[in-house]
mmCIF file of all heavy atoms in Angstrom:
data_model
loop_
_atom_site.group_PDB
_atom_site.id
_atom_site.type_symbol
_atom_site.label_atom_id
_atom_site.label_comp_id
_atom_site.label_asym_id
_atom_site.label_seq_id
_atom_site.Cartn_x
_atom_site.Cartn_y
_atom_site.Cartn_z
ATOM 1 N N ALA B 27 121.838 100.166 109.218
ATOM 2 C CA ALA B 27 122.327 99.754 107.982
ATOM 3 C C ALA B 27 121.224 99.611 106.884
ATOM 4 O O ALA B 27 121.459 100.057 105.751
ATOM 5 C CB ALA B 27 123.022 98.351 108.175
ATOM 6 N N MET B 28 120.068 99.033 107.359
ATOM 7 C CA MET B 28 119.002 99.020 106.401
ATOM 8 C C MET B 28 118.609 100.347 105.812
ATOM 9 O O MET B 28 118.332 100.507 104.634
ATOM 10 C CB MET B 28 117.741 98.351 106.993
ATOM 11 C CG MET B 28 117.929 96.857 107.254
ATOM 12 S SD MET B 28 117.925 96.089 105.598
ATOM 13 C CE MET B 28 118.995 94.724 106.074
ATOM 14 N N VAL B 29 118.439 101.339 106.761
ATOM 15 C CA VAL B 29 117.960 102.616 106.269
ATOM 16 C C VAL B 29 119.045 103.262 105.398
ATOM 17 O O VAL B 29 118.757 103.799 104.326
ATOM 18 C CB VAL B 29 117.819 103.586 107.545
ATOM 19 C CG1 VAL B 29 117.381 104.920 107.114
ATOM 20 C CG2 VAL B 29 116.766 102.973 108.465
ATOM 21 N N VAL B 30 120.329 103.141 105.719
ATOM 22 C CA VAL B 30 121.389 103.713 104.898
ATOM 23 C C VAL B 30 121.447 103.031 103.585
ATOM 24 O O VAL B 30 121.560 103.674 102.562
ATOM 25 C CB VAL B 30 122.665 103.617 105.600
ATOM 26 C CG1 VAL B 30 123.857 104.019 104.716
ATOM 27 C CG2 VAL B 30 122.698 104.572 106.848
ATOM 28 N N ALA B 31 121.239 101.724 103.589
ATOM 29 C CA ALA B 31 121.317 100.964 102.306
ATOM 30 C C ALA B 31 120.222 101.516 101.371
ATOM 31 O O ALA B 31 120.373 101.769 100.181
ATOM 32 C CB ALA B 31 121.051 99.522 102.514
ATOM 33 N N THR B 32 118.958 101.598 101.947
ATOM 34 C CA THR B 32 117.777 102.102 101.113
ATOM 35 C C THR B 32 118.160 103.513 100.599
ATOM 36 O O THR B 32 117.978 103.851 99.420
ATOM 37 C CB THR B 32 116.565 102.191 101.955
ATOM 38 O OG1 THR B 32 116.411 100.872 102.573
ATOM 39 C CG2 THR B 32 115.364 102.441 101.029
ATOM 40 N N PHE B 33 118.665 104.375 101.518
ATOM 41 C CA PHE B 33 118.967 105.705 101.205
ATOM 42 C C PHE B 33 119.977 105.795 100.000
ATOM 43 O O PHE B 33 119.735 106.519 99.057
ATOM 44 C CB PHE B 33 119.503 106.361 102.391
ATOM 45 C CG PHE B 33 119.918 107.806 102.263
ATOM 46 C CD1 PHE B 33 118.961 108.886 101.995
ATOM 47 C CD2 PHE B 33 121.223 108.251 102.463
ATOM 48 C CE1 PHE B 33 119.400 110.091 101.852
ATOM 49 C CE2 PHE B 33 121.641 109.569 102.313
ATOM 50 C CZ PHE B 33 120.651 110.484 101.979
ATOM 51 N N VAL B 34 121.060 105.007 100.146
ATOM 52 C CA VAL B 34 122.042 105.082 99.106
ATOM 53 C C VAL B 34 121.566 104.504 97.780
ATOM 54 O O VAL B 34 121.829 105.013 96.716
ATOM 55 C CB VAL B 34 123.379 104.308 99.620
ATOM 56 C CG1 VAL B 34 124.371 104.283 98.477
ATOM 57 C CG2 VAL B 34 123.929 105.099 100.785
ATOM 58 N N MET B 35 120.720 103.472 97.915
ATOM 59 C CA MET B 35 120.201 102.915 96.630
ATOM 60 C C MET B 35 119.371 103.857 95.880
ATOM 61 O O MET B 35 119.391 103.953 94.679
ATOM 62 C CB MET B 35 119.375 101.661 96.931
ATOM 63 C CG MET B 35 120.193 100.456 97.265
ATOM 64 S SD MET B 35 119.103 98.935 97.403
ATOM 65 C CE MET B 35 120.205 97.906 98.399
ATOM 66 N N VAL B 36 118.522 104.662 96.617
ATOM 67 C CA VAL B 36 117.685 105.631 96.034
ATOM 68 C C VAL B 36 118.476 106.698 95.395
ATOM 69 O O VAL B 36 118.303 107.111 94.192
ATOM 70 C CB VAL B 36 116.716 106.358 97.094
ATOM 71 C CG1 VAL B 36 116.028 107.534 96.498
ATOM 72 C CG2 VAL B 36 115.649 105.250 97.526
ATOM 73 N N LEU B 37 119.563 107.130 96.060
ATOM 74 C CA LEU B 37 120.455 108.198 95.473
ATOM 75 C C LEU B 37 121.099 107.620 94.167
ATOM 76 O O LEU B 37 121.190 108.279 93.191
ATOM 77 C CB LEU B 37 121.551 108.565 96.502
ATOM 78 C CG LEU B 37 121.145 109.383 97.712
ATOM 79 C CD1 LEU B 37 122.383 109.703 98.603
ATOM 80 C CD2 LEU B 37 120.494 110.684 97.249
ATOM 81 N N ALA B 38 121.471 106.355 94.324
ATOM 82 C CA ALA B 38 122.205 105.706 93.130
ATOM 83 C C ALA B 38 121.293 105.609 91.946
ATOM 84 O O ALA B 38 121.655 105.764 90.894
ATOM 85 C CB ALA B 38 122.739 104.451 93.575
ATOM 86 N N LEU B 39 119.983 105.347 92.253
ATOM 87 C CA LEU B 39 119.010 105.213 91.160
ATOM 88 C C LEU B 39 118.776 106.545 90.563
ATOM 89 O O LEU B 39 118.785 106.641 89.324
ATOM 90 C CB LEU B 39 117.723 104.641 91.768
ATOM 91 C CG LEU B 39 116.618 104.389 90.727
ATOM 92 C CD1 LEU B 39 117.025 103.239 89.840
ATOM 93 C CD2 LEU B 39 115.318 103.910 91.567
ATOM 94 N N ALA B 40 118.522 107.583 91.367
ATOM 95 C CA ALA B 40 118.228 108.848 90.809
ATOM 96 C C ALA B 40 119.396 109.362 90.051
ATOM 97 O O ALA B 40 119.352 109.960 88.937
ATOM 98 C CB ALA B 40 117.900 109.875 91.934
#
Side-chain angles (χ1 to χ4, degrees):
Chain B
M28 285 295 151
V29 179
V30 170
T32 312
F33 177 67
V34 173
M35 282 187 206
V36 167
L37 290 181
L39 183 65

